[in-house]
């Protein structure tokens, strides 16, 4: 069933509110110097669940190959962006300390960029190869710190 205009508008309003609330809290906690990795990990999952709830998404976590992730290891998970909701689904489905590797252009979006900076989400400059290499070295450092 396709959503009508009013339903789409309500989804937009709800998801925007969820983002403003979550990103604003991250920026505020960072500004006050009270943001922690544990808070980011927990609140990213709260944001993800609220986002999925706002759009009335139903999902089932399916693991046909019985893959288990070793909590002592770090992984790079690549989402294919088949939907707008693969990032919140990753936060809901995967354990551990997750950060999203984002393109530099996203960091320029006022609330989103501030929240990503507060959460220590790595940013990569895809248009500058040498800078991208340096950016990925920062990713490796974050992974060695347990993210």
């Amino acid at each position: 069933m396709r959503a009508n205009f009013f339903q789409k508008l309500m989804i937009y309003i709800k998801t925007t509110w969820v983002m403003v609330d979550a990103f604003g809290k991250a920026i505020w906690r960072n500004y006050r110097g009270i943001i922690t990795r544990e808070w980011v990990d927990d609140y990213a999952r709260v944001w993800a669940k609220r986002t999925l709830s706002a759009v009335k998404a139903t999902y089932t976590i399916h693991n046909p190959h019985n893959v288990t992730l070793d909590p002592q290891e770090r992984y790079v998970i690549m989402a294919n962006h088949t939907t707008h909701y693969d990032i919140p689904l990753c936060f809901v489905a995967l354990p551990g300390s997750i950060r999203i590797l984002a393109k530099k252009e996203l960091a320029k979006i006022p609330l989103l960029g501030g929240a990503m900076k507060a959460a220590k989400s790595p940013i990569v400059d895809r248009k500058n190869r040498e800078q991208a290499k340096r950016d990925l070295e920062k990713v490796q450092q974050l992974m060695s710190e347990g993210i």
Side-chain angles (χ1 to χ4, degrees):
M1 182 171 99
R2 297 187 62 94
N4 65 34
F5 173 79
F6 180 74
Q7 291 168 324
K8 289 178 184 178
L9 178 63
M10 290 310 298
I11 288 171
Y12 177 77
I13 290 169
K14 287 178 185 178
T15 56
T16 299
W17 171 249
V18 169
M19 287 190 308
V20 168
D21 178 58
F23 299 166
K25 285 178 181 172
I27 292 167
W28 177 247
R29 290 180 73 89
N30 191 48
Y31 172 76
R32 293 187 56 216
I34 59 171
I35 197 163
T36 63
R37 179 191 302 175
E38 292 78 17
W39 184 85
V40 171
D41 293 343
D42 292 342
Y43 208 77
R45 287 182 171 82
V46 168
W47 162 79
K49 288 175 185 174
R50 286 182 181 167
T51 298
L52 295 170
S53 175
V55 298
K56 298 182 177 159
T58 58
Y59 54 91
T60 302
I61 299 170
H62 183 63
N63 186 357
H65 303 291
N66 296 317
V67 175
T68 58
L69 300 179
D70 181 348
Q72 302 306 313
E73 294 292 325
R74 300 298 157 244
Y75 301 90
V76 174
I77 307 295
M78 297 181 70
N80 60 14
H81 291 304
T82 317
T83 76
H84 295 294
Y85 304 106
D86 55 351
I87 291 172
L89 285 167
C90 284
F91 279 110
V92 170
L94 299 170
S97 191
I98 299 171
R99 296 299 178 275
I100 302 301
L101 175 65
K103 61 184 177 181
K104 182 175 115 175
E105 295 79 7
L106 292 177
K108 295 176 183 176
I109 299 172
L111 276 176
L112 177 60
M116 289 187 331
K117 183 177 180 180
K120 294 186 178 177
S121 289
I123 308 297
V124 66
D125 185 347
R126 301 180 305 165
K127 295 180 180 168
N128 180 332
R129 184 177 178 92
E130 293 307 313
Q131 182 59 47
K133 288 178 186 177
R134 290 189 293 274
D135 295 337
L136 291 174
E137 288 172 4
K138 292 177 190 173
V139 172
Q140 188 174 18
Q141 178 186 349
L142 286 172
M143 291 177 76
S144 70
E145 293 172 4
I147 293 177

